[in-house]
Structure formats: structure tokens, C-alpha cells
Amino acid sequence: VNVRVTNHSYGAYRGGYEGTADFRAVRDAFAAHARAGVLAVAAAGNGRVGPDGVRRGVDTDADPHYPSNVPGVVSVAAAT
């Protein structure tokens, strides 16, 4: 099988996650993707629902979303 692209349509907002063993494992797995020539694409997140019930976007620099914030992963989003 000659895999060139993988899709990762899952994730969570995880502030402080970067320093954990779980993050290092995820980062290392995506680095292995890149070394093998496989492009990893991940959903950028769907925002959050506020107390008023309205879904709003999130600044992923301030509140990172994973795996889309892992180095080397292409983050994709959509707007309506």
C-alpha cells in the first residue's frame, strides 16, 4: 500500500498538553509520518459553544487544538 495522505478528523483543545508524554508520542508519530513522506491532515477544530448556545471560533494560538497544532500537520478548516 502506498499511502501519501492521512486524515485526522478528531481532536480536542488541550492547553498545557505540549509538556506531556502523550503529546510527545503524538508528535513523534506525526514526525514518523513526515519521514516516510506521508502528509498528515487534521481538522482545525469546530470552536466552542458559549453559554448563549452559539458556537464561536477559537484562537488556536492561545488555546491549541490537537492534533492540528502538532508541528508538521496540515490544519484545515471551513467556514459557513
Side-chain angles (χ1 to χ4, degrees), residues 67-80:
S68 61
N69 274 52
V70 173
V73 174
V74 175
S75 177
V76 295
T80 57

Side-chain angles (χ1 to χ4, degrees), residues 33-58:
H33 266 72
R35 285 191 303 275
V38 176
L39 177 65
V41 179
N46 294 323
R48 291 221 170 92
V49 176
D52 57 0
V54 175
R55 183 171 293 280
R56 292 186 173 77
V58 173

